[in-house]
Amino acid sequence: MSGELLTKSKIADALGTNPMRVTRFIERNKINAVKKEGKRELFKLTDFNALKKELSEPETKKEAQSHAFSKDDYILTLKKQLEDQQKQFDEVLKSKDETIDSLKETIATSKHVYEDMKDQLTVKDNQITALTKLTNNAQTLNLVDKDPKRLQTAQGNAEMKPEQSSSEKAANNQQTSESEKPRQNWWQRHFGRNK
C-alpha cells in the first residue's frame, strides 16, 4: 500500500484522520500530486510520514479526535438545518397567507366604498335634475308675475321658428331709425347742439 497512489480521503482513512487535515497538511508542506485523474489528485502515502508522526503524538491524537467529525454527527447537523429551514418556510407561508387575507379584505372594503360613492353620485344627479326643473319653473313664474303678456309672447316665439332672435331684431330696429335721420357731419354733431 505504501507504493500505491491514493486520494486525499483514502490517505485520511489510512492515517485515521479526516480529509480536511490531509488537505491542510498538503497546503502547509506544498506537496504536489503525483498524478491527476480528472479532478482527483493522487498522492504517495510515503509523502505523509510526517503527518503520520504528528498524529501518533498523544496531544495531536486528542486534538484530532476532538476535531473528528463523524458521519452521524454530519447527518444530525444536516437534519437540524433542514428542520430550521422548514420552520422558516412555514413562517413565510403563514405570513403570505395573512397578507393575502388582508388584501382580500381591503379589496372587499374598497368595492363597498365604490358602490356607496356610485349610489351617492346617482342621488346627486337626481337632485341636480330636480333643482334644474325647479329653477326653470321659478324663472317662468317670475316672468308671469312681472308681465303676463311676455309669457304668452315667449311661448308663441318658442312655438314658431323665429328667423331672428330678439337681440338681432332690436339691433335692426336701431339701424333703421338711425338711417332715417338726416346725416350730420362731425362738427354739427358735436357743436351743433350748443347753438
Side-chain angles (χ1 to χ4, degrees):
M1 187 167 182
S2 60
E4 259 186 86
L5 295 177
L6 303 171
T7 61
K8 292 176 189 176
S9 57
K10 293 281 185 188
I11 291 168
D13 289 342
L15 297 176
T17 187
N18 60 30
M20 201 64 199
R21 180 97 188 221
V22 174
T23 303
R24 282 197 297 263
F25 182 80
I26 290 168
E27 289 171 357
R28 190 173 64 226
N29 294 296
K30 297 180 182 172
I31 298 171
N32 292 324
V34 177
K35 188 177 179 185
K36 285 188 179 182
E37 291 180 355
K39 290 185 178 180
R40 293 182 345 153
E41 294 179 324
L42 300 174
F43 299 89
K44 284 184 185 176
L45 187 58
T46 53
D47 291 340
F48 295 90
N49 287 335
L51 180 58
K52 188 176 182 182
K53 191 175 178 183
E54 264 182 42
L55 292 169
S56 64
E57 293 172 5
E59 285 179 20
T60 313
K61 237 180 192 176
K62 282 180 188 173
E63 190 184 325
Q65 285 174 352
S66 69
H67 288 299
F69 203 62
S70 70
K71 287 181 183 176
D72 292 338
D73 292 339
Y74 188 65
I75 289 169
L76 287 171
T77 304
L78 284 176
K79 274 187 178 178
K80 190 172 183 322
Q81 287 176 351
L82 284 172
E83 286 171 4
D84 291 344
Q85 285 179 353
Q86 182 66 40
K87 283 179 186 174
Q88 288 175 352
F89 182 71
D90 289 342
E91 287 174 9
V92 167
L93 280 178
K94 186 180 175 187
S95 170
K96 185 178 171 186
D97 290 341
E98 288 172 358
T99 304
I100 289 171
D101 290 341
S102 172
L103 286 172
K104 281 180 180 176
E105 287 176 18
T106 304
I107 289 169
T109 305
S110 296
K111 279 184 178 178
H112 185 68
V113 168
Y114 172 75
E115 292 300 325
D116 285 349
M117 287 179 78
K118 213 171 161 185
D119 292 344
Q120 288 176 5
L121 283 173
T122 305
V123 169
K124 274 190 176 180
D125 288 344
N126 292 340
Q127 288 174 346
I128 289 170
T129 304
L131 283 171
T132 305
K133 285 179 183 176
L134 285 172
T135 305
N136 288 340
N137 290 342
Q139 286 177 346
T140 305
L141 287 172
N142 193 17
L143 284 173
V144 169
D145 285 346
K146 287 184 179 177
D147 187 4
K149 290 179 183 175
R150 276 178 106 185
L151 178 65
Q152 291 171 354
T153 309
Q155 286 175 345
N157 287 345
E159 290 171 4
M160 295 179 359
K161 285 189 179 177
E163 291 178 11
Q164 291 181 333
S165 69
S166 58
S167 59
E168 288 175 336
K169 284 181 183 175
N172 287 342
N173 289 341
Q174 187 178 4
Q175 286 176 354
T176 308
S177 63
E178 283 180 4
S179 63
E180 290 171 359
K181 290 180 185 176
R183 290 193 162 205
Q184 296 176 340
N185 63 27
W186 180 85
W187 187 264
Q188 288 174 338
R189 273 183 276 161
H190 289 288
F191 296 106
R193 290 180 189 160
N194 294 337
K195 289 180 181 179

